[in-house]
Amino acid sequence: MNKINPLILMCSLLFITSTAHAEKITIAAAADLKFAMDEIAAEFKKANPDDEIEAIYGSSGKFNTQIRQGAPYDLYFSADIAFPRDLAKSGLAASEAIPYAVGRIVLWSATQDASTMTLESLTDPQITRIAIANPKHAPYGKRAQEALLSTNLWDKVEKKLIYGENIAHTAQFVQTGNAQVGIIALSLAVNPELTSKGGYWLIPDNFHEPLEQGYIITRRAADSNLAQHFADYMGSLPARAVMTKYGFVLPGEASGK
Amino acid sequence: MHLSENDFQAILLTIRLASIVTLILLVLGTPIAWWLSRTRSRLKGPVGAVVALPLVLPPSVLGFYLLLVMGPNGPLGQLTQALGIGLLAFTFEGLVIASVFYSLPFMVQPLQNAFEAVGERPLEVAATLRASRLDTFFTVVVPLALPGFLTSSILTFAHTVGEFGVVLMIGGNIPGVTRVASVQIYDHVEAMEFSQAHHLSAMMLIFSFLVLLALYVWRPNRKKGT
């Protein structure tokens, strides 16, 4: 054994990893995608074991602000297509804003069966805390607010509302029982961990503006093959199947419910 | 600098929260600090460590456990429900309790140092004059440790004003109830209302600087005085 061997080994390892064009991308995804995107990324990795995909979940509004400030995200999946559209308009995107799904909101409770509820049930004095996402910057919160406004319930329930930072944070308020009921994303409510705790009631989609969701490849990922590859994968059958499983209505498909 | 009505509401709420927490901690923290400064008990180490925990714990840990403890299945949640108060999460009272935990070391540690600095001698003198222990504490220890009380009160107040993570976890962002200034700034930033965020942030910056300036400027005077 020669003393120089480890060094050569290291250098050649570096060389190998860089030539095997293994790439890494970071995805900023709206919190409603938490379960669906984890599953899609895992499937994608099975087919592309060399590539690395990191998904971060949060409020769409926050990611929008962060990307404007140069955050290192390669793909941005927003719960509201308006955000990626604005980014594309500002020249911060390497693709158009592409619609990938339409989201739905539901009433969900961890302590009672929400499937027998309607929005009117929220005026029940027994219910003292209702969690929604912050309408100021979370798309799901905005739609929840619209649904309550269009049914003339907003004024009656506003005092009971508590605001989550994003839709997953909102679900967590309900999951811990600190809020008896919440308006959350269908895609979160269908997760086994949540359905085991209590049913949900699908809020009719004519109560609010559509939750048209869209993504972009960000400007910094303009040359990333992996980012493009993953974006293409989102339109593939396996990825669409996962999205459907989590209650998303896909572009080009009629609403199933 | 123009602030919206919501901003004012958030500032007033923050001041109210910090004032109440400081008063509560003065009452709770003083005996703890006194005991820590005088005891030879083996419990001194563990108690001191527990008091100091919020210094190193991420606020998310504190917030997470408080959310569980205050929830309907948590011990505190079951107690408050049995008492007919309801659940504490997302209430101002809940924030007060969380902040008392969060700011505890900022009250206790400076006080403990001040009490230790008083030393045994004044206490012995007071004892020979037949002063009761309570009497000694209020007529001898408190005046001598007054700068310590001032420091710990200012630090507790300022630290509560600076609280963010815990409030985000258990507050629920309710205007006028749990939406404090730090959360209001966060909301402004997320909604890209940068100028509003600037106004509030600048106020916080100036406030924090003045607090620290006061602490640093007063310190040498105190030394000269004693």
Side-chain angles (χ1 to χ4, degrees), chain A residues 66-166:
Chain A
Q66 290 180 342
I67 289 168
R68 284 184 183 277
Q69 303 303 318
Y73 305 134
D74 302 294
L75 284 158
Y76 166 45
F77 285 82
S78 167
D80 185 345
I81 198 166
F83 288 128
R85 268 195 193 128
D86 283 349
L87 287 176
K89 225 177 271 170
S90 310
L92 290 161
S95 73
E96 284 186 348
I98 303 155
Y100 65 87
V102 177
R104 294 292 300 271
I105 48 176
V106 299
L107 270 183
W108 178 64
S109 168
T111 47
Q112 39 200 298
D113 186 9
S115 62
T116 59
M117 288 182 180
T118 63
L119 285 182
E120 273 74 27
S121 320
L122 297 179
T123 56
D124 185 341
Q126 293 280 317
I127 291 175
T128 51
R129 294 268 179 242
I130 306 158
I132 70 172
N134 195 332
K136 208 167 160 186
H137 51 72
Y140 276 95
K142 216 176 282 173
R143 298 298 173 256
Q145 185 182 36
E146 285 167 5
L148 290 171
L149 282 171
S150 71
T151 48
N152 295 318
L153 292 166
W154 179 261
D155 291 336
K156 291 176 198 152
V157 301
E158 194 185 352
K159 284 226 166 326
K160 303 179 180 181
L161 292 177
I162 53 167
Y163 302 99
E165 198 266 311
N166 57 56

Side-chain angles (χ1 to χ4, degrees), chain B residues 2-224:
Chain B
H2 58 282
L3 294 166
S4 73
E5 203 180 309
N6 280 337
D7 291 342
F8 265 119
Q9 195 180 38
I11 291 171
L12 285 179
L13 181 73
T14 309
I15 294 172
R16 195 156 70 96
L17 176 70
S19 310
I20 292 174
V21 168
T22 308
L23 286 177
I24 291 177
L25 274 176
L26 268 173
V27 175
L28 286 182
T30 305
I32 298 176
W34 179 250
W35 183 81
L36 280 171
S37 71
R38 285 290 171 270
T39 186
R40 292 198 185 93
S41 158
R42 257 193 254 162
L43 285 174
K44 181 178 176 170
V47 172
V50 167
V51 167
L53 261 183
L55 284 177
V56 290
L57 267 188
S60 48
V61 173
L62 198 60
F64 171 58
Y65 281 132
L66 280 170
L67 200 61
L68 291 186
V69 169
M70 288 176 173
N73 301 318
L76 190 58
Q78 285 181 338
L79 179 74
T80 52
Q81 278 181 316
L83 294 173
I85 309 169
L87 294 174
L88 282 174
F90 320 127
T91 62
F92 181 73
E93 291 74 21
L95 271 201
V96 169
I97 291 177
S99 309
V100 162
F101 279 111
Y102 183 63
S103 293
L104 184 66
F106 291 83
M107 178 59 79
V108 170
Q109 293 192 339
L111 270 186
Q112 187 186 340
N113 288 339
F115 290 155
E116 278 165 1
V118 168
E120 292 296 329
R121 188 79 190 134
L123 303 184
E124 286 163 7
V125 173
T128 59
L129 294 171
R130 298 202 173 177
S132 74
R133 294 173 78 176
L134 210 61
D135 200 12
T136 309
F137 184 79
F138 282 108
T139 54
V140 177
V141 177
V142 170
L144 284 175
L146 206 56
F149 277 100
L150 207 63
T151 308
S152 56
S153 300
I154 292 175
L155 276 178
T156 303
F157 188 91
H159 190 244
T160 309
V161 168
E163 187 176 342
F164 173 69
V166 179
V167 185
L168 200 69
M169 300 269 300
I170 66 156
N173 208 341
I174 306 168
V177 182
T178 59
R179 186 183 289 167
V180 296
S182 57
V183 173
Q184 177 79 353
I185 291 171
Y186 181 72
D187 278 352
H188 280 320
V189 174
E190 287 212 354
M192 303 238 283
E193 298 163 350
F194 282 4
S195 66
Q196 283 102 312
H198 268 313
H199 293 155
L200 260 185
S201 302
M203 279 189 61
M204 293 290 255
L205 189 69
I206 294 167
F207 166 77
S208 308
F209 174 73
L210 289 178
V211 164
L212 292 175
L213 187 69
L215 283 178
Y216 281 108
V217 170
W218 274 333
R219 207 166 277 259
N221 290 348
R222 187 178 84 194
K223 288 267 160 62
K224 263 180 253 164

